[in-house]
Amino acid sequence: MNQPVFIEQLTPDGEVLHRTKVTHLPARIGRAYDNEVILDDPHTAAHHAQVELNQLDELIISDLGSYNGLALGKNRERFFVVDGEHIYRLGHTHLRIRTADYPVAAEVTDSTNHHWEGWLPALTGLLLLLMTGLLSTWLADLNQGTLSKYLLELVSVFGFAIGWSGVWALFSRLFNGHARFGRHLFIVSAGLAFLELWEHGSGLLAYAMSWESLQTFSAHPMIFICAVVLYFHFITAGNKQPKRLQLVLAAIAILGSAIAMTKEYQASNHLAGELYMSNIYPPAVRISRDHSLDEFMNDMEALKEKVDNARKTDPKE
Amino acid sequence: MRFFYRPLTFAFTLMASLGVAAQTDTPNTATNTTPNTAPSSAAQQLYASAQQDLLQLRVLLKNGNSQSSVGSGFLIGNSNLVVTNFHVVSQIALEPETYFGEYKDTSGKSGSIELLAVDVLHDLAIVRIARNGSGFFKVPHASANTEQPALVKLHQGQHLYSLGNPLDLGFTISEGTYNGISTRGFSDQLMFTGAVNSGMSGGPNVTADGQVAGVNVAHRRDGELVSFLVPVRYVQALLSRVTSDMAPPEDFKPIIGEQLLEHQTVMVDKLLEEPFSIKSLGPYRVPVRESDQVRCWGNTDSSAKKAYTIASINCSMESAIYVSNEMQTSHISMHHKYAHNKKLNVMQFSQLATNMFDGQVYSTAKSETITPASCTEDFIRHNNISLRALVCAEAYHKFNGLYDFTLITASTDDSQTSLQSMINIQGVAYDNGMKLISLFLQGIDRAEADKTDEPTITPASTPTSAPANGEVAP
């Protein structure tokens, strides 16, 4: 054998814990100190397995007669021909064996946006919060409130966003080593801004186009926005399986929507969160056409059948 | 030594009891020695002769025998028929599988009752018991289709006496005066200035010479001794449809439903006898109805500090029909609110209009009496105005052909003013509901000339406070 062999100890998730370079074969693996690769797994034998070349000059891993043996998935064998991809299990230890000429995958582009860290996203986030906070307070300010009211509103929004991103930063630090507080603050601020924007935008659109369901079902897009925010938080905190995360969050969002609708249905017999579109905007916003009084009365007449069908008991004629 | 106290304490108790006996004896001996020569009062005489025909009626839960409601009643003539209020026995009529009734007379005897007839509109019912009256309470009546005999004529200020068992404390008689007929409802009620308390419902109200004038039915919570009686002519009418040996109806719900349906026709016809009167709210015209049965109140909130003004007119029917604790029906109310912008931005003003429009109608799936609301909403345009309108309808589970309606509208033609109107209609037929809503919608309009005028607010009337309409059924 003219090139070194690397014996890698992996986590159950497939991440490399430890890598040993072996230049002379056979290399023995086990708990004893005379092995080339020393394991700290009590479920392995003192001399558990060895990596060697067989007569066909293939690299193999073979069992040295241990109790727990050598397994690939559910197959337990005396020996396996090594191919650099498969992970073998010795007791509770996961091993992968690669030679120096193992072709590695191409370099991936930087998906973590390292230039978007620190004070820049934090400041952008705070600016977003300031704008949405002021806008929503101003819109709801019908009694011409004082400056202190605006400040109080801003303080509570800032307090929430900072507390929330603090928790995520701690989470990131624990699992990823980097807190990335600025990025988390930007994510939550953008999320809050989107929620606010959606609330006003959807109301306006519903009113302008007479799309009542946009308003009466507004809870579900909000649940979706929250799921997206959580996705970015998790990715920033170091989640390495975005596909799986997307599926999990989508499932949670659908479950959330279903629970919301069930609750509404039990309380009011309607799936919508609100019984009717309550938003009133200035006349200039309207695009959809007006209906005549007769059309409205016809709609009302059509309700009769619906109401009659909703009776629990059929009263005698 | 210890036992020495025993005879001593015994002696003390004996003395004490003798002392008490002596004290209580004194007035007794006094009354015995001086015979009661003063003439007894009219009330005393009345009670003495009426008491054997006076009953307490109770509705009990079949399961557990516990008491659910208590009222009074009285035996008619020498028959076994007892007159009482419908609301006293409504549970027996609506849920005979859950409730049953019992009577108790002044001597403490009790027995079961059997519901024979109801008159929901006038809050009357007739039950049968296994005992006959002594003939004290007479209500002369003929059979249903012949002319009824004349009844006692009452004069304002005349003394009247209500009998019954208030608050389940014991049988009482209360004295008061007759004060005319109240026409606030769709059928007459006598006004009685005397005490009528809970538990006296269904008890008789008689003149000094023992003629039945009416049946105790309600009092006003916001007044003192302002009580109401069902005139005896409605008792007469109900009695004419009942015989002592008739079989009771199997199910009262269709009968009640029919009476309610009949009443709503009268109610809607009366309401629409003449077209809605039109009031001004700023540049807008709104429909209201003011009559004996419907009262309107106006209000403005226009403090200089506020960035907007709101003026309102609220009209409400003063009567409703009691069907059960969960269900009072045959009621209509109308509300108009007019908001005018003074200092707000257009978007802020639209937020105000949104807040006013929001949360006015909600749908419940939990109600046992009505179905959840089914609604339709639209932008509509008619006359000089465009509106956002929502109408919701609910059907009564137990009464065929009866519905509740709510209509709310908001004007959508001006960014500086908002007119929001509402009509609430309870217990009418579907076509009547549609008729009322259509007429109400047609009444909402805007005067074309003064699109940008300052608001002129002319509410119906401006009382210092809204009416406290606390009529309660005892």
Side-chain angles (χ1 to χ4, degrees), chain B residues 278-286 337-339 384-387 411-420 443-447 450 456:
Chain B
I278 303 297
K279 298 264 174 196
S280 301
L281 266 178
Y284 297 103
R285 306 275 175 267
V286 295
K337 271 186 283 179
Y338 164 67
N384 294 323
I385 196 168
S386 52
L387 296 168
S411 63
T412 58
D413 59 340
D414 198 322
S415 58
Q416 299 295 334
T417 58
S418 179
L419 173 75
Q420 304 204 354
I444 304 173
D445 200 0
R446 178 169 182 135
D450 52 356
T456 48

Side-chain angles (χ1 to χ4, degrees), chain A residues 138 141-142 144 212 267-268 270 276-278 280 282 286 291 297 300 303-304 307-308 311-313 317, chain B residues 344 346 348 350 354 357-360 363 365 372-373 377-381 388 395-397 400 403 430 434:
Chain A
W138 176 76
D141 181 26
L142 303 179
Q144 311 278 294
E212 286 82 8
S268 67
H270 294 277
Y276 61 101
M277 182 178 85
S278 57
I280 305 289
R286 280 287 310 290
H291 295 249
M297 295 315 292
M300 182 178 169
L303 276 185
K304 186 172 189 288
V307 203
D308 282 335
R311 286 179 203 266
K312 276 183 209 155
T313 47
E317 291 295 329
Chain B
L344 295 176
V346 174
Q348 285 177 321
S350 73
T354 302
F357 200 56
D358 191 20
Q360 296 195 88
S363 178
E377 54 183 322
D378 232 326
F379 288 100
I380 51 176
R381 178 160 190 91
R388 174 86 196 148
Y396 286 76
H397 283 305
N400 208 19
Y403 302 85
Y430 209 91
M434 286 191 47

